[in-house]
Amino acid sequence: MKKQKVVVVGAGPVGALAALYAAGRGDDVEVYELRGDLRDPSTVPLNFTKSINLALSERGINSMKNANCPGLVEAVLEETIPMYGRMIHGAKQGKLFEESQSYDVHGRYIRAVDRAGLNKRLLDELEKMPNVKFFFDHKLVGADFRKNRAWFERRSKTLDDHAQNPTKSDPVEAKASKGSSEVEVAFDFMIGADGAHSAVRYHLMKFARLNYQQEYIDTLWCEFHISPSPTNDFKLSPNHLHIWPGGEFMFIAIPSLDKSFTSTLFLPASRFAEIDAQPEKLVNFFNENFPGVAGDLISESDLRKQYDENPHLPLISIKCSPYHYKSSVVILGDAAHAMVPFYGQGMNAGLEDVRTLFEFLDRHRPNILQADPDALAVEIDAHTEGRMMALEEYTKQRTPDAAAINDLALRNYQEMRSDVTSPIYRLRKWVEEALNNYFPKSGFATQYSRVSFGNERYSVVEKEVQRQGRWLLSGIVGVGLIPFVAWGGWWLWRWNRASHTGRGLTKWAAILGSKTEQIGRKFT
């Protein structure tokens, strides 16, 4: 049977996992990446900053398990740090305090993972496979998804390498003239996993009637680094995600394997502008809003230096549909649904995209395998038809799920920067966890546990959480009405007794009228 050629654009975690899935099914896979080898420390990230630590949860882990690469998940998990909950930081009457809020009543946890380390593991697994080729420093500059052709511009950094080793570095289909920096690549199927500013999505828009929505929220982020203590230990609890909630902004810290913390300031653009105009106020701003950070965790001079040197970057949310065009191309991860980072689901959702996509492809693979092996044209048609059906089903299912987690991530920012200190938030969390723990058949669970510790579709999670909210609200209203119902019943009973005598009836009617008037005045 003819092998299918799969071109993956983007060698980040999502693209690398997609390549592993495709290669594991016997396809010939070529991975193209705009940057240099991402395992090389000298490779500069696209946002020109250190890669912030990521939260790895059940969806991402499950998706890697289904890649069927022995030892992969175990190796990845060995290089993670369990985070059992949030540690809320603040100050009361001038004294610092910490308050731990567990993620899950059953003790489940998410994991802090270094993006570069995870990426390296996935790329190393790919490099072991004989049917995978890498093409770093290649920029997608054109694509024809009807003819299944793509054009990549080779960056000058690697031109000499290509000239010296053309059989290994150049695609078979790329027959660029001598001295040219552009190659043409033929493919059967392209997977775009090239991030929020996806070149694949840009070219897909020329072929598919793609609805596209892009939103920048009024918040920028700046990364900070908290070094280990003088005794080479963590300065904070390593098993928590640390939050300094500020109402309309926040500061967070995530542990790293080297006992440092990768920290991030999330702040409205206008507040960044105020600090930029008066830099001397930076330390005071931190002392007032994030007590214990300036001086104790980061020296004041280092705080100023990091604020000045690290870029202040925007946060983008992207929704689009469809994710594919016929049988030729599909986009995954941030290319399809970039989201703000406040749920820690961006990477996990992207990895889950891969698992979901290949479940649909596998579902239609039997149609492909039933093709006549002696008739190449019939075989190609079977591949194409099966893949087209799979991509249609993938877009239909995944679009509402991606929209749901995008919305949940936006709403979770409110929870992290403000609601975590709210009594109402804590009460609802306690009630939901108690019901889940003592009455598991009730189906109640917190939104966070549904999202982070299960594989239930995001759109289903959103609906279930809304249903739970309505039930809880009904319960609270019902409990609140009990005293009023009892009071009304008591007055009715007294009225019934008094009604046996005219004088008593008149007396109780007067009292009841007086009480009713008092209640009316209170509500108005």
Side-chain angles (χ1 to χ4, degrees), residues 98-310:
E98 296 180 338
E99 178 189 306
S100 177
Q101 296 181 358
S102 63
Y103 281 134
D104 182 65
V105 69
H106 302 294
R108 292 175 292 186
Y109 52 86
I110 61 175
R111 298 171 181 267
V113 62
D114 176 68
R115 179 188 176 95
L118 173 62
N119 213 157
K120 181 179 183 301
R121 284 286 179 186
L122 293 170
L123 292 176
D124 286 346
E125 285 294 325
L126 274 175
E127 201 164 44
K128 298 175 185 177
M129 307 184 83
N131 54 332
V132 176
K133 295 180 181 179
F134 293 109
F135 299 95
F136 296 108
D137 295 300
H138 277 67
K139 178 181 179 180
L140 179 67
V141 293
D144 186 332
F145 294 124
R146 294 190 183 94
K147 298 180 179 179
N148 286 12
R149 292 288 187 275
W151 292 267
F152 291 88
E153 181 184 280
R154 296 178 297 184
R155 296 172 62 184
S156 59
K157 177 181 177 181
T158 57
L159 281 178
D160 292 339
D161 295 338
H162 283 282
Q164 293 171 7
N165 191 7
T167 58
K168 181 177 180 180
S169 302
D170 288 339
V172 174
E173 294 84 353
K175 301 296 182 182
S177 61
K178 186 176 181 181
S180 171
S181 62
E182 186 173 289
V183 293
E184 180 180 322
V185 180
F187 60 87
D188 295 299
F189 181 38
M190 177 180 285
I191 298 175
D194 50 342
H197 303 287
S198 169
V200 178
R201 185 184 65 232
Y202 171 77
H203 294 293
L204 173 60
M205 288 179 174
K206 302 173 186 176
F207 295 86
R209 293 184 295 177
L210 191 145
N211 294 315
Y212 178 75
Q213 176 185 334
Q214 173 179 300
E215 177 185 2
Y216 283 98
I217 69 170
D218 185 27
T219 295
L220 304 178
W221 65 277
C222 179
E223 185 176 285
F224 291 84
H225 180 76
I226 299 176
S227 303
S229 70
T231 59
N232 195 34
D233 201 356
F234 290 102
K235 288 182 179 178
L236 299 165
S237 164
N239 299 121
H240 289 86
L241 186 154
H242 296 264
I243 304 176
W244 285 258
E248 64 172 357
F249 45 76
M250 68 178 180
F251 186 81
I252 69 170
I254 301 177
S256 300
L257 289 173
D258 64 359
K259 298 184 179 181
S260 67
F261 284 84
T262 299
S263 306
T264 312
L265 169 65
F266 295 99
L267 193 66
S270 59
R271 301 300 292 268
F272 269 111
E274 290 175 8
I275 296 174
D276 292 344
Q278 296 178 297
E280 68 277 4
K281 293 187 175 182
L282 175 66
V283 173
N284 287 338
F285 175 80
F286 265 76
N287 288 335
E288 291 174 6
N289 297 284
F290 315 126
V293 174
D296 294 341
L297 300 179
I298 307 175
S299 69
E300 293 183 3
S301 60
D302 196 25
L303 186 73
R304 294 190 186 95
K305 181 181 179 183
Q306 293 191 52
Y307 179 87
D308 292 337
E309 293 182 354
N310 293 343

Side-chain angles (χ1 to χ4, degrees), residues 487 491-492 495 507-518:
W487 180 82
W491 275 107
L492 184 61
W495 175 83
K507 176 183 175 182
W508 287 112
I511 294 174
L512 181 60
S514 176
K515 292 292 184 182
T516 304
E517 183 180 357
Q518 291 176 19

Side-chain angles (χ1 to χ4, degrees), residues 344-359:
Q345 285 294 302
M347 178 188 68
N348 290 285
L351 299 179
E352 188 177 60
D353 285 348
V354 176
R355 178 183 63 80
T356 306
L357 169 66
F358 278 87
E359 283 180 357

Side-chain angles (χ1 to χ4, degrees), residues 41-81:
S42 66
T43 299
V44 179
L46 290 178
N47 56 16
F48 303 103
T49 186
K50 297 176 182 178
S51 178
I52 62 174
N53 283 16
L54 300 171
L56 179 63
S57 58
E58 165 59 23
R59 296 173 192 270
I61 295 170
N62 184 45
S63 298
M64 287 189 286
K65 285 179 181 177
N66 280 275
N68 296 320
C69 294
L72 170 63
V73 173
E74 292 76 11
V76 169
L77 297 185
E78 282 180 5
E79 297 179 346
T80 64
I81 299 176

Side-chain angles (χ1 to χ4, degrees), residues 353-386:
D353 285 348
V354 176
R355 178 183 63 80
T356 306
L357 169 66
F358 278 87
E359 283 180 357
F360 282 113
L361 290 171
D362 289 343
R363 190 175 302 170
H364 291 281
R365 195 170 290 266
N367 294 335
I368 296 172
L369 296 177
Q370 290 169 6
D372 182 357
D374 298 322
L376 182 60
V378 173
E379 184 178 339
I380 293 174
D381 287 344
H383 276 282
T384 301
E385 181 182 355

